[in-house]
Amino acid sequence: MVLLLGQYSVGKTSFIRYLLGRDFPGIRVGPEPTTDRFTAIMTGDVDKVIPGAALAAQADRPFRGLSPFGNNFLSRMEGIEMTHCPI
């Protein structure tokens, strides 16, 4: 697992797009702050966005330990499943 942190508009999302070789579901890019959430990108059967609360509730995912941080945190988290995810 890799964590990218930084101020807004410094290229975090563009870097992820470069690594993936394409856009990902739920991508938000713009001149003003657009990515105000934590995003976990994973491989999957179809491209889809999974809300943070759903991620924390799934026993087969490594995010169960985030539940104690509550809904305020989980509402700012999302999972992205992508087909042919290279990372």
Side-chain angles (χ1 to χ4, degrees), residues 4-5 11 15 18-19 22-23 28-29 40-41 43 46-47 59 61-62 64 66 68 70 72-74 79 82 85:
L4 294 176
L5 295 174
F15 179 67
Y18 173 78
L19 289 177
R22 66 182 179 111
D23 288 346
R28 296 173 198 86
V29 177
I41 299 175
T43 190
V46 296
D47 289 359
R61 303 270 188 203
R64 293 198 68 150
L66 298 176
N72 282 336
F73 173 76
L74 293 175
M82 295 180 61
C85 183

Side-chain angles (χ1 to χ4, degrees), residues 37 52-53 70-78:
R37 57 189 60 242
N71 287 330
N72 282 336
F73 173 76
L74 293 175
S75 68
R76 293 256 187 230
M77 182 178 177
E78 65 186 7

Side-chain angles (χ1 to χ4, degrees), residues 25-46:
I27 189 171
R28 296 173 198 86
V29 177
E32 69 284 339
T34 53
T35 47
D36 61 346
R37 57 189 60 242
F38 296 95
T39 305
I41 299 175
M42 306 162 281
T43 190
D45 296 331
V46 296

